[in-house]
Amino acid sequence: MAAFPISPHFTPLLLSHLLLFHLLHAHPPLISALNITALLSPFPDLSDFNNLLTTSSVSSDLSLRSSLTLLAVPNRFLRSSDLLHHPSTTTSIADVLRFHVLLQYLSWSDLIHVPPNGKLVTTLFQTTGRATADLGSVNITRNPSDSTVSVRSTNSSSTSTTVLSLVKTLPYNVSIFTVNSFLVPSDFDLMASENQPSVGFNITKILIDGHNFNVAASMLTASGVAKEFEDDEGGAGITFFVPTDMAFADLPTMERLQSLPADKKAVILRFHVLHSYYPLGSLESILNPVQPTLATEGIGAGRYTLNITRFNGSVAIDTGIVQASITQTVFDQNPVSIFAVSRVLLPREIFGNKAMGSTGSGSGMLGASPPEVFLSPQDSPSLDSPPARLSSPPGFREDIRSNAAIIELHKAVALLCIVFNYLVW
Ligand SMILES: *[C@@H]1O[C@H](CO)[C@@H](O)[C@H](O)[C@H]1NC(C)=O
Ligand SMILES: *[C@@H]1O[C@H](CO)[C@@H](O)[C@H](O)[C@H]1NC(C)=O
Ligand SMILES: *[C@@H]1O[C@H](CO)[C@@H](O)[C@H](O)[C@H]1NC(C)=O
Ligand SMILES: *[C@@H]1O[C@H](CO)[C@@H](O)[C@H](O)[C@H]1NC(C)=O
Ligand SMILES: *[C@@H]1O[C@H](CO)[C@@H](O)[C@H](O)[C@H]1NC(C)=O
Ligand SMILES: *[C@@H]1O[C@H](CO)[C@@H](O)[C@H](O)[C@H]1NC(C)=O
Ligand SMILES: *[C@@H]1O[C@H](CO)[C@@H](O)[C@H](O)[C@H]1NC(C)=O
């Protein structure tokens, strides 16, 4: 039983059952939680802010996250803020605090190097589903004349807050800056947020709300793949790399892409999805750079893989013929993360190895495939070890919030396995 014959001819059916088996029998992840209360406690000037995080329970929202930037309001500014004197509900305060949690690790150097047209960063508030459109993101800008860094809601007519100093940094995981005022999301009704239910997971809506992803949204809808990515109970444990409209506009092979038959288009869309939830921090520290995609699962091990590496302060994604980078977190709520990417990820299995216009059939490309395969022999003999695709940095599994989330993930994976078996057979 221990020695399991693995070959490149391993059938997708067996593969998905094996994967399912592994997932269902995986040991609970080791949790090394982020304790934001403890991180803030050495700073007496942040005691009120720290208390608010605790009483609103936003601190526990953060305990299983990595890769974030906290904008903390020191006591002297907090006590003079009218926010706390407003007869608002606890949920409203919690949402305002969530707006101060940026879902990306930013160093001081990242802040002073923000491009002239600003840098958009998603906040924890965006993930509640209570933010209108993309107003749960903040725009970080730097004034070139006096070098001050400001953060405001994406609605440019909204008020802004100024970054004062860096108080704490744990590289690539957490940084804490002080700011001189609370930042209230624009269009935010302090009285209203409590009773608004959070919306279900609707990938098309998220993309349309993001404004910059209209081509991807319409391709997803037209191909019917959107439904495949969604799950009625909040999503199927996926990481989706969505090309911006600009990425599609820049595509030399756009006509070729558009003239592909529907099933090939669907394969290309699946090629943009990893079948696991990875927040940005986990992608940045990924140990096994060659990751299978949903397209791999329909076709076979070692093909349709993405090579993901940390590069130049961002995450680079290499398909073998296209190099893209992550430009923005569009959505991040376990078990679904969506990142904007700068280029359309063209699989070399369809678009060939050299000129993008060449008609690669795929079979000729196998020699050029990365050595990494879906289940490599050294990883697979024991049924107790997780499959190679799940080898991940220690931090990755910490992002799976609770056993309940894991069970949801298992159910979703089981569903997907069934769907793919169905497609293959
Ligand atoms: C976080 O740290 C604080 C103070 O150091 C402590 O009181 C609290 O119990 C810790 N929380 C968790 C969940 O460990
Ligand atoms: C961010 O702010 C800059 C400077 O005010 C502005 O040029 C840019 O359009 C803003 N970006 C967004 C998405 O609002
Ligand atoms: C931007 O903010 C202004 C003033 O708060 C508001 O009137 C306007 O509707 C907002 N725009 C959007 C797109 O929410
Ligand atoms: C998802 O959102 C889009 C755009 O708002 C909408 O057209 C579609 O009906 C929604 N789908 C579901 C299942 O709610
Ligand atoms: C690295 O990032 C900076 C700013 O984000 C950019 O200006 C530069 O061109 C990038 N370098 C490379 C080699 O991509
Ligand atoms: C993945 O990309 C990195 C950086 O571009 C490169 O060094 C590495 O060789 C690539 N690995 C594979 C298997 O393609
Ligand atoms: C950052 O997180 C990773 C995994 O999440 C952990 O291994 C590492 O020790 C953390 N680094 C710091 C400085 O806390």
Side-chain angles (χ1 to χ4, degrees), residues 20 230-232 409-420:
L20 189 57
E230 291 167 5
D231 180 75
D232 51 344
L409 205 60
H410 288 168
K411 284 199 298 203
V413 169
L415 246 169
L416 270 168
C417 289
I418 291 163
V419 168
F420 279 109

Side-chain angles (χ1 to χ4, degrees), residues 118-270:
K119 178 178 173 69
L120 275 190
V121 183
T122 312
T123 72
L124 188 60
F125 174 53
Q126 182 75 42
T127 73
T128 61
R130 286 187 290 269
T132 325
D134 66 346
L135 294 180
S137 301
V138 291
N139 187 357
I140 303 178
T141 53
R142 180 169 164 271
N143 182 338
S145 57
D146 62 4
S147 299
T148 53
V149 176
S150 304
V151 183
R152 57 163 58 83
S153 179
T154 44
N155 182 338
S156 53
S157 53
S158 64
T159 55
S160 71
T161 187
T162 302
V163 176
L164 301 172
S165 64
L166 174 66
V167 296
K168 180 88 189 163
T169 179
L170 302 173
Y172 310 129
N173 291 357
V174 185
S175 57
I176 303 172
F177 292 92
T178 50
V179 293
N180 70 357
S181 65
F182 272 114
L183 194 59
V184 177
S186 51
D187 273 8
F188 185 75
D189 182 347
L190 276 173
M191 300 304 292
S193 69
E194 187 160 47
N195 296 320
Q196 280 178 31
S198 87
V199 295
F201 175 58
N202 179 336
I203 221 163
T204 320
K205 182 172 187 307
I206 293 168
L207 295 185
I208 290 172
D209 286 353
H211 296 301
N212 204 5
F213 312 103
N214 298 306
V215 180
S218 61
M219 270 183 85
L220 274 175
T221 311
S223 65
V225 179
K227 275 204 91 57
E228 218 175 271
F229 293 176
E230 291 167 5
D231 180 75
D232 51 344
E233 276 303 311
I238 58 168
T239 299
F240 181 22
F241 300 115
V242 55
T244 59
D245 287 343
M246 187 71 88
F248 280 104
D250 286 347
L251 197 62
T253 47
M254 188 63 193
E255 273 171 30
R256 173 119 188 271
L257 182 63
Q258 257 157 359
S259 63
L260 285 174
D263 60 333
K264 278 277 191 326
K265 280 187 197 157
V267 167
I268 291 171
L269 288 169
R270 291 190 196 107

Side-chain angles (χ1 to χ4, degrees), residues 60-104:
S60 53
D61 282 11
L62 303 185
S63 67
L64 292 158
R65 287 197 176 261
S66 60
S67 194
L68 50 88
T69 300
L70 181 68
L71 305 177
V73 183
N75 295 348
R76 61 185 184 282
F77 299 109
L78 190 147
R79 287 171 189 165
S80 61
S81 161
D82 55 5
L83 179 74
L84 299 182
H85 306 124
H86 202 282
S88 51
T89 63
T90 331
T91 315
S92 308
I93 297 278
D95 278 348
V96 172
L97 292 171
R98 288 186 184 101
F99 201 50
H100 292 70
V101 179
L102 317 188
L103 299 180
Q104 189 171 338

Side-chain angles (χ1 to χ4, degrees), residues 27-34 60-67 173 277 279 281-282 285 334 392-403 405-406:
H27 298 292
L30 289 168
I31 305 283
S32 96
L34 165 68
S60 53
D61 282 11
L62 303 185
S63 67
L64 292 158
R65 287 197 176 261
S66 60
S67 194
N173 291 357
Y277 164 71
S282 300
S285 53
N334 194 346
S392 48
F396 163 55
R397 291 194 151 231
E398 294 159 15
D399 293 302
I400 296 178
R401 294 209 167 167
S402 62
N403 287 334
I406 291 169

